[in-house]
Amino acid sequence: MYAVAFVEDEKCIANKGCRLCILYCPEADTLKFDPVKKKAYVVESRCKGCELCVVVCNNAKHNAITMVMR
Amino acid sequence: MGKNNLKICSDLEDIMPPEYRELVASATYGKENRGWKDIGSAKELIEEHSLCAGCPEAIAFRYVLASLPNPEDTVMVGSTGCTSLVFPHVAVHNIHSLFGNQNAVASGLKRALKLRFPDREKDVVVLAGDGATVDIGLDMTLQAWFRQEKFTTICFDNELYANTGGQESGLTQKGFVMKMAPQGKQFNKVRMPEIARESGCAYVAILTVSKPNLVERVLKNAVLIARTIGPTYIQIYTPCILEIGKQSMEGLQEMRDAEGPNDRFAFREFITDEAKAFLADMDEKKKAAAAAKIGTAAPAGVK
Ligand SMILES: Cc1ncc(C[n+]2csc(CCOP(=O)(O)OP(=O)(O)O)c2C)c(N)n1
Ligand code: SF4
Ligand code: SF4
Ligand code: SF4
Ligand SMILES: [Mg+2]
């Protein structure tokens, strides 16, 4: 089992322009912007579980990302 | 040139790896003003690699590759170290050089490209660790600058030898204790930006990767000035979270803590008058081109 990041659509405000997790995730093409839903999402197979996205999202008080076991 | 040299023959398309197909479909080769804003929507020029989870070197690679002004006409030169774990997964031509030799290899490469492609701008960008740039390769680094070789040198400064388990480098801070420097470093951190300036670099910057827009601006300045004027040097703090005992999610805060006005990675830039004039002239031309665009568009709107 691995811990990977998970974005809750209801809490994510990427539709208002937030891109913090997408920019600061150390891995390329892992946290992406869904142009249809206008939310951030995680490509789980690429996520290394570092939790930096959780830190940046929480620091901005959005609290939209949690770690889940897969 | 854009994407022409990576197009797939349609008969073979279905057997190409999905990542390659994505590169063809949405990577930003040939895009004017490519930069950090493309991150998250365009395919990036870096694939999965084996750097530690949360490693700031990985963040730095993303911003550098997103900001290269002309990736399809760029050749990067790497050296041994954690960065060399990434280069095989980078979609920009690159050469791995023997540890420390990177600026010598880049000098020859830049000259050869000039002869082979006299009418085309070919950018050469060195990217290596602090051990490679400031210790074992210092001779090659400095000689390239003395000779005014026209390429950019980027140092990913994690203030130690990460790939071999935590030895001190010239860029380690004085007093810092590492696994393989148990008494702490006895000497000061080498003042490489000042050395670069005095050795003939036309543009020098020191920064962290806490701000992607700053990385983009600095990198573009460095590459464009190196094309026309002379050598350029960028030193970027990419803390080795593993060897300094940080958790995987603490890299960004570590960089922010090291870039206050009196800290060792406070943003600084040195630029020669010639390079300054070159940038100002480029800005003027851009503004004039933008104004001309508006100027030609305006009559169409006039009824
Ligand atoms: C000629 C040579 N000498 C020594 C080594 C061993 N070696 C491999 S990586 C490394 C340290 C790299 O440190 P740095 O350049 O700071 O890169 P980092 O791993 O910290 O990113 C050393 C000494 C080598 N591979 N080749
Ligand atoms: S940082 Fe949080 S709110 Fe912002 S885009 Fe990412 S998940 Fe959404
Ligand atoms: S846990 Fe780390 S690797 Fe995974 S999505 Fe978040 S920042 Fe990216
Ligand atoms: S050893 Fe340090 S520099 Fe190398 S990948 Fe791990 S955290 Fe990054
Ligand atoms: Mg190093």
Side-chain angles (χ1 to χ4, degrees), chain B residues 102-123:
Chain B
Q102 59 281 350
N103 278 36
V105 170
S107 300
L109 175 67
K110 177 72 196 192
R111 292 176 187 203
L113 288 170
K114 196 91 208 148
L115 290 172
R116 173 68 183 78
F117 301 99
D119 306 322
R120 204 146 93 205
E121 285 300 349
K122 289 278 184 183
D123 299 322

Side-chain angles (χ1 to χ4, degrees), chain B residues 50-52 55-57 82 85 158 162-163 238-243:
Chain B
S50 55
L51 294 190
C52 299
C55 176
E57 270 192 10
C82 283
L85 303 175
N158 53 15
N163 200 235
T238 54
C240 172
I241 46 177
L242 185 78
E243 293 297 339

Side-chain angles (χ1 to χ4, degrees), chain A residues 19 21-33 45-46 48-52 55-56 59, chain B residues 36 39-40 42-44 46-49 51 53-55 58-59 62-63 210 212 248-249 252 256:
Chain A
R19 295 287 184 276
C21 58
I22 295 171
L23 280 176
Y24 288 110
C25 170
E27 302 305 313
D29 294 312
T30 301
L31 255 160
K32 303 193 72 158
F33 177 69
S45 64
R46 301 176 76 104
K48 288 184 182 169
C50 72
E51 294 187 39
L52 185 56
V55 170
V56 292
N59 281 351
Chain B
W36 67 274
I39 285 178
K43 173 72 179 162
E44 293 178 52
I46 173 174
E47 263 309 321
E48 292 174 86
H49 52 69
L51 294 190
C55 176
I59 311 181
R62 291 184 75 203
Y63 300 164
S210 72
S248 59
M249 74 296 280
L252 181 59
R256 287 184 174 150

Side-chain angles (χ1 to χ4, degrees), chain B residues 216-272:
Chain B
E216 176 180 332
R217 183 169 74 74
V218 162
L219 187 85
K220 284 184 173 163
N221 283 351
V223 171
L224 297 176
I225 291 171
R227 255 186 217 171
T228 9
I229 297 178
T232 56
Y233 174 63
I234 308 175
Q235 186 172 323
I236 307 183
Y237 186 38
T238 54
C240 172
I241 46 177
L242 185 78
E243 293 297 339
I244 65 173
K246 296 275 171 183
Q247 302 283 325
S248 59
M249 74 296 280
E250 292 176 336
L252 181 59
Q253 193 56 47
E254 168 60 27
M255 293 190 277
R256 287 184 174 150
D257 291 342
E259 63 185 358
N262 299 316
D263 294 323
R264 59 198 193 289
F265 289 97
F267 174 61
R268 279 177 296 148
E269 242 175 349
F270 303 133
I271 178 162
T272 61

Side-chain angles (χ1 to χ4, degrees), chain A residues 7 11-14 18-22 40 53 56-57 62 64-65:
Chain A
V7 178
K11 293 185 180 168
C12 172
I13 57 148
C18 182
R19 295 287 184 276
L20 283 171
C21 58
I22 295 171
C53 54
V56 292
C57 187
H62 308 317
I65 310 182

Side-chain angles (χ1 to χ4, degrees), chain B residues 114-183:
Chain B
K114 196 91 208 148
L115 290 172
R116 173 68 183 78
F117 301 99
D119 306 322
R120 204 146 93 205
E121 285 300 349
K122 289 278 184 183
D123 299 322
V124 171
V125 177
V126 170
L127 198 169
D130 47 314
T133 309
V134 178
D135 289 342
I136 302 183
L138 184 64
D139 181 6
M140 275 62 79
T141 308
L142 294 183
Q143 297 289 351
W145 294 343
F146 297 160
R147 291 191 308 267
Q148 292 288 291
E149 304 285 353
K150 287 183 170 169
F151 62 83
T152 298
T153 305
I154 305 174
C155 175
F156 274 11
D157 178 8
N158 53 15
E159 305 195 293
L160 46 78
Y161 289 32
N163 200 235
T164 41
Q167 295 83 5
E168 72 175 48
S169 85
L171 293 188
T172 304
Q173 306 171 62
K174 187 173 180 177
F176 198 76
V177 175
M178 283 154 288
K179 282 202 297 239
M180 297 198 214
Q183 295 188 318

